[in-house]
Amino acid sequence: MTVPDLATHDESVRAARRFGARTVIAFTAIFLVAVPFGVLTTLIVTNSADLLSVDRHVASALHGYALDHPTVTHLMRGVGAVFSAIGWWIILTPVVAWLLVRRRPRLAAFVAVTAIGSSLLNGLIKTTVHRARPHFADPVATAVGKSFPSGHTQAATVGFGLLVLVFLPFLPARTRPWAWVGAAFMVVLVGFSRVALGVHYLTDVVGALLIGSAWLLAMTAAFSAWRSELHRPVVPISEGLEPEPEAMDGTNAIAPD
């Protein structure tokens, strides 16, 4: 084996080790998120008295606040309308189309599959757990379907995560942490709106945060594995999913995937 061949082999080994380490970290993170979700689901299915007491207390307190503050209630209704299932279709469909125009079919597929898969997963869990929504004599809002986990919150967790992962390469490095902070704030706002409007319990929102995060982590790990199989570098998540230079300048010719 020649010196160049040895160098290439060593670099391949190092790349494989880096990918292996990132894979272990990713799936450890998924495990750490999925286990609490499993515990929470078990407590809900078994009708844990302590958990139900906390849920009812929080729901009652926020319902009283909503009744006393109609302006806040109106704002929460707006948040729920904008970030509904239809709202996310309106937000993410142009993103997928834009990625296809920029000849990024792999990234477009990632966004579409992750968003649609999350919605299907939420519906499956709702059907399986079959938890009734909170009920009030004087509701400020109503919603159909089952309660656990919150569909709005899970969609926001996955949707805002997708937006950050796709557009992170366009942001200056110093502002990228703030993109995550902003996304986290919006997810919390959406979750709070569902409890404040009395259409979900607190644990519905917590469960949605957990399963949405686990799903997004799993799909991101799968996307990184896909890139590795295609001999694309597996980059730190802090750089976005596809930070290649051509993805950051629409004036340049973009090589197809």
Side-chain angles (χ1 to χ4, degrees):
M1 185 177 292
T2 64
V3 172
D5 289 339
L6 283 172
T8 301
H9 174 73
D10 290 343
E11 179 56 32
S12 298
V13 171
R14 287 193 294 270
R17 288 174 178 171
R18 288 194 298 270
F19 174 69
R22 292 190 184 102
T23 301
V24 170
I25 292 171
F27 280 97
T28 299
I30 294 167
F31 177 80
L32 293 175
V33 173
V35 168
F37 176 79
V39 172
L40 181 62
T41 304
T42 300
L43 291 173
I44 289 172
V45 171
T46 57
N47 294 313
S48 168
D50 292 337
L51 193 70
L52 188 57
S53 176
V54 171
D55 269 341
R56 286 176 174 172
H57 175 74
V58 173
S60 178
L62 287 179
H63 179 65
Y65 184 86
L67 289 174
D68 294 338
H69 298 81
T71 301
V72 175
T73 302
H74 182 72
L75 175 62
M76 293 300 100
R77 288 199 191 100
V79 170
V82 172
F83 298 111
S84 63
I86 295 176
W88 280 109
W89 274 104
I90 295 172
I91 293 169
L92 293 179
T93 298
V95 173
V96 172
W98 177 77
L99 289 170
L100 290 173
V101 169
R102 291 180 65 89
R103 302 173 70 184
R104 292 288 177 177
R106 188 170 62 249
L107 194 53
F110 169 79
V111 172
V113 172
T114 302
I116 294 171
S118 175
S119 178
L120 294 175
L121 178 62
N122 183 266
L124 176 62
I125 298 172
K126 281 180 182 289
T127 301
T128 302
V129 176
H130 206 70
R131 189 187 201 188
R133 293 180 183 270
H135 175 75
F136 297 98
D138 50 352
V140 298
T142 58
V144 298
K146 297 304 175 181
S147 193
F148 180 86
S150 164
H152 276 70
T153 308
Q154 184 174 332
T157 302
V158 173
F160 282 112
L162 287 172
L163 292 177
V164 173
L165 290 171
V166 169
F167 293 107
L168 208 59
F170 293 89
L171 302 177
R174 65 181 180 278
T175 66
R176 290 175 184 175
W178 291 105
W180 288 110
V181 171
F185 172 80
M186 292 304 300
V187 171
V188 171
L189 179 63
V190 171
F192 175 80
S193 73
R194 306 313 288 164
V195 184
L197 291 173
V199 294
H200 279 291
Y201 292 111
L202 175 62
T203 50
D204 297 335
V205 169
V206 173
L209 283 168
L210 291 171
I211 194 62
S213 298
W215 176 254
L216 185 62
L217 285 168
M219 293 302 294
T220 301
F223 186 83
S224 295
W226 192 5
R227 280 178 61 90
S228 179
E229 290 178 2
L230 295 175
H231 306 292
R232 293 291 185 93
V234 179
V235 297
I237 202 66
S238 59
E239 297 182 17
L241 287 176
E242 284 201 334
E244 284 78 11
E246 62 268 24
M248 301 178 64
D249 185 356
T251 62
N252 294 339
I254 300 176
D257 285 326

